Amino acid sequence: MIRRFIFILFIGLQFGNVHAQTKTPDQLYGQLFIDVQMQNVLKDGKTFVDCIPKRDPAKILEDYMKLKNAKDKFSTLDFVKANFILPDTNTTIVITGNKPVAAHINQLWEALRRKPANKIANSSLLDLPAPYIVPGGRFREIYYWDSYFTMLGLQVSGENETIENMVKNFAYLIKQNGHIPNGNRNYYLSRSQPPYFSLMVELLAQIKGDQVYSTYLPALEKEYAYWMDQSAPTKHVVIMPDGSKLNRYYDQLNTPRQESYKEDVLIGRQAGSKNPEIYRDIRSAAESGWDFSSRWLSDGMHLNTIETTQIVPVDLNCLLYNLELTIQKCYALKHNTEKQKYFESLALKRKISMLKYFWSPQQSWFTDYNIKTKKQSPVLSLAGMYPLYFKLASLKQANLVKNVLQQKFLKPGGLVSTPINTHQQWDAPNGWAPLQWMAINGLGNYGFHELEKHVAVRWINLNTNVYKRTGKLMEKYNVVDLDLKAGGGEYASQDGFGWTNGVLLSLMKKYGYAK
């Protein structure tokens, strides 16, 4: 009886209130789901899982199996079009007029804004109570870590109510599901994303005052419990060789992602029996937000060698360090000395462990740690700038990091995610807005203001020049060859784009660029 209760509790943590959530697309459509995804019927695997059925899914599946087996020239595409409302697959946001980039972004907020809607039967979309901003393109829902960087621009635009609404939405997701899912789709419920909620609360507190900390303390603690396995065994905690606790990314499922089903199945076939956890490792890389990167690949190059769950990531642990400090601040404001000291001690223990396992004197960089090899990763990535952003590094370490950043990461358009070109989108030659922000502010924290501004100006110029040429703001950029688009990954580069807009507006304000 006790074991059964624990199992139910675990499932509840993974998928929230299971009775309140619609079945996921694979559960609803069975063989139809497999056929649509494996045959590339809708080109992008995310399209079908975002479709809305026009009638009872069980009846749709029954009719599909009959028609498929009875007709020689049966068209799966025609069947899908007849039985489903397809999402808008036009990824281009058209805003007329040749406007300065800041004015363009202010108009984009309206194009990217979504309002709460009545629950649609058998839709994969999870309800939210308040309006929110989506990234753009194929990303038609709210995304966790994207939203923090989007909020930076919303603050510049005076969209403070929107920021508060989005924080409310994330607190709602934590209350409903025990964590913030990757995005508000039921097929994302088995994982979270980089835990930026504490930074969102800090941002909102800057706008509304310290009472914000008290309001969101329950949500902060519940998210902390999810990452620290205090409610159920999510397996995010890693016991390091010295007995200290750090964290990793760990999706709760070991199946192909529904939104990238065919891509995952093909990689799984390549891996064969060499990695029975291949799908979990792929999903866990999606939880990291870095899907995909040489950071997670055992040979540093090929996706079928992915081993995300064996990696203890430096950026994740920095974010959890900040979460511990934020909860500590909440209790300090409530004058609860006992709990304040408790979370302060947790943060200190994590800091000591991070400096021990992530700092590489040989590479003069903060790297990930591999629990299988019991060695630091040979891959240098911009995740190594997070200890500077959160002021964990010593001044000596920060100086060494600055030198490596200039030598290996600084390119004509800003900072490259890693110096390695694997054809994965979170490697060279690509640069991403959130990583520029973390690195630029990390440099500023240690007084490296000349390099800080230099990186920021390169990124601003790249963004604005591409906008002048194309009228678009992109999800990611090629920072090495400024005449080429960013590439790699399992889908085309998207425009819109939430976090690019947010970081660009905030940097332009800070460095006095004309709007």
Side-chain angles (χ1 to χ4, degrees):
M1 188 68 155
I2 293 173
R3 286 183 179 177
R4 184 170 181 270
F5 172 75
I6 292 171
F7 175 75
I8 292 171
L9 180 64
F10 177 44
I11 295 299
L13 178 67
Q14 291 183 58
F15 300 108
N17 184 342
V18 290
H19 298 294
Q21 301 297 350
T22 304
K23 290 181 179 179
T24 52
D26 64 330
Q27 295 169 331
L28 287 173
Y29 306 115
Q31 190 61 46
L32 172 60
F33 167 83
I34 294 172
D35 291 350
V36 170
Q37 301 297 60
M38 292 304 294
Q39 295 169 18
N40 250 14
V41 170
L42 297 174
K43 308 303 180 188
D44 183 342
K46 192 174 181 306
T47 304
F48 185 63
V49 293
D50 293 353
C51 284
I52 298 170
K54 295 180 180 178
R55 55 196 179 101
D56 177 40
K59 184 62 177 172
I60 290 175
L61 178 57
E62 180 184 345
D63 290 349
Y64 171 73
M65 297 305 294
K66 287 178 183 177
L67 292 169
K68 173 189 174 183
N69 295 325
K71 290 187 175 182
D72 291 335
K73 294 183 179 180
F74 175 73
S75 169
T76 304
L77 177 59
D78 289 345
F79 182 86
V80 169
K81 287 181 176 179
N83 287 278
F84 293 87
I85 301 170
L86 273 63
D88 183 7
T89 56
N90 180 10
T91 62
T92 302
I93 297 173
V94 179
I95 294 178
T96 58
N98 184 17
K99 295 180 179 293
V101 68
H104 176 75
I105 291 172
N106 285 326
Q107 281 191 281
L108 277 174
W109 295 141
E110 288 308 312
L112 298 172
R113 196 183 309 275
R114 300 292 180 269
K115 296 179 180 179
N118 294 329
K119 175 65 179 174
I120 300 172
N122 298 303
S123 168
S124 62
L125 193 67
L126 301 177
D127 297 335
L128 292 173
Y132 54 95
I133 303 293
V134 302
R138 74 198 287 268
F139 302 111
R140 310 172 185 95
E141 48 283 308
I142 200 168
Y143 281 79
Y144 183 2
W145 78 308
D146 294 60
S147 295
Y148 172 69
F149 299 97
T150 301
M151 289 176 188
L152 296 173
L154 289 168
Q155 185 181 28
V156 176
S157 297
E159 291 265 3
N160 292 338
E161 183 179 354
T162 304
I163 294 171
E164 185 171 14
N165 282 336
M166 291 170 73
V167 175
K168 286 179 180 177
N169 282 335
F170 287 126
Y172 173 82
L173 287 169
I174 292 172
K175 183 178 180 180
Q176 293 294 108
N177 304 293
H179 68 289
I180 299 173
N182 187 149
N184 63 315
R185 294 279 179 182
N186 63 12
Y187 54 79
Y188 284 146
L189 279 167
S190 63
R191 62 179 179 268
S192 187
Q193 265 198 328
Y196 272 84
F197 184 64
S198 62
L199 279 86
M200 296 179 190
V201 171
E202 290 173 9
L203 182 65
L204 185 59
Q206 292 171 18
I207 296 167
K208 295 200 68 179
D210 283 351
Q211 72 274 13
V212 165
Y213 289 104
S214 178
T215 301
Y216 291 102
L217 175 58
L220 290 163
E221 288 198 297
K222 196 165 187 177
E223 179 173 55
Y224 188 67
Y226 172 77
W227 286 99
M228 297 309 295
D229 291 354
Q230 291 170 1
S231 298
T234 62
K235 297 186 178 180
H236 285 113
V237 174
V238 175
I239 306 300
M240 302 302 284
D242 65 355
S244 61
K245 291 182 180 180
L246 291 176
N247 290 76
R248 63 178 169 178
Y249 292 107
Y250 196 95
D251 192 292
Q252 302 307 297
L253 297 178
N254 186 25
T255 57
R257 292 169 298 158
Q258 298 199 29
E259 72 281 10
S260 300
Y261 187 83
K262 180 177 182 178
E263 292 86 349
D264 289 3
V265 168
L266 295 179
I267 291 297
R269 289 174 183 171
Q270 288 180 26
S273 60
K274 293 179 182 178
N275 183 7
E277 293 281 292
I278 183 76
Y279 298 130
R280 191 188 310 280
D281 283 321
I282 289 171
R283 285 172 162 271
S284 299
E287 184 171 59
S288 80
W290 290 56
D291 45 339
F292 297 101
S293 167
S294 52
R295 291 179 71 186
W296 318 125
L297 311 179
S298 65
D299 71 352
M301 189 59 63
H302 300 99
L303 193 53
N304 61 351
T305 70
I306 194 167
E307 56 174 5
T308 316
T309 56
Q310 302 301 316
I311 305 298
V312 182
V314 58
D315 45 354
L316 170 61
N317 283 279
C318 286
L319 289 163
L320 290 171
Y321 170 76
N322 189 69
L323 177 54
E324 288 163 343
L325 288 180
T326 304
I327 297 174
Q328 174 258 323
K329 181 172 183 175
C330 291
Y331 280 115
L333 291 168
K334 292 170 75 74
H335 306 292
N336 187 329
T337 306
E338 182 181 354
K339 287 199 171 182
Q340 175 194 348
K341 288 182 177 178
Y342 174 67
F343 280 95
E344 193 173 24
S345 70
L346 290 175
L348 179 59
K349 288 176 183 176
R350 187 183 296 274
K351 177 179 179 178
I352 292 168
S353 186
M354 285 194 291
L355 291 174
K356 178 177 180 178
Y357 288 105
F358 296 143
W359 175 248
S360 171
Q362 293 79 20
Q363 302 187 85
S364 297
W365 196 259
F366 289 96
T367 68
D368 301 324
Y369 183 85
N370 190 307
I371 56 179
K372 183 169 67 177
T373 64
K374 293 183 169 57
K375 294 180 180 178
Q376 292 172 329
S377 171
V379 176
L380 303 186
S381 78
L382 279 185
M385 291 300 294
Y386 276 61
L388 276 68
Y389 184 93
F390 291 106
K391 303 177 183 178
L392 283 157
S394 68
L395 183 57
K396 180 180 178 181
Q397 289 170 331
N399 268 294
L400 292 168
V401 165
K402 174 181 73 87
N403 293 336
V404 174
L405 188 77
Q406 287 179 291
Q407 294 164 12
K408 298 188 176 182
F409 289 87
L410 184 59
K411 305 297 178 184
L415 300 172
V416 72
S417 303
T418 75
I420 306 165
N421 190 338
T422 60
H423 302 293
Q424 297 300 334
Q425 62 175 351
W426 287 86
D427 285 313
N430 293 346
W432 295 75
L435 303 185
Q436 311 300 313
W437 179 262
M438 301 302 284
I440 288 166
N441 284 277
L443 291 169
N445 284 341
Y446 288 83
F448 306 136
H449 298 303
E450 184 178 349
L451 181 57
E452 170 197 2
K453 184 173 182 179
H454 191 62
V455 174
V457 167
R458 289 192 182 194
W459 181 255
I460 291 168
N461 287 340
L462 173 59
N463 283 207
T464 52
N465 288 337
V466 170
Y467 168 69
K468 288 173 184 176
R469 291 203 312 265
T470 68
K472 299 177 184 179
L473 289 157
M474 310 301 294
E475 175 192 21
K476 56 184 180 277
Y477 291 86
N478 185 327
V479 296
V480 177
D481 188 331
L482 307 188
D483 293 324
L484 297 178
K485 290 183 178 180
E490 57 196 10
Y491 58 85
S493 183
Q494 306 295 297
D495 63 17
F497 195 87
W499 62 19
T500 301
N501 306 343
V503 169
L504 180 58
L505 267 189
S506 200
L507 290 178
M508 288 174 67
K509 180 180 179 182
K510 182 175 181 179
Y511 297 101
Y513 268 61
K515 297 181 180 182

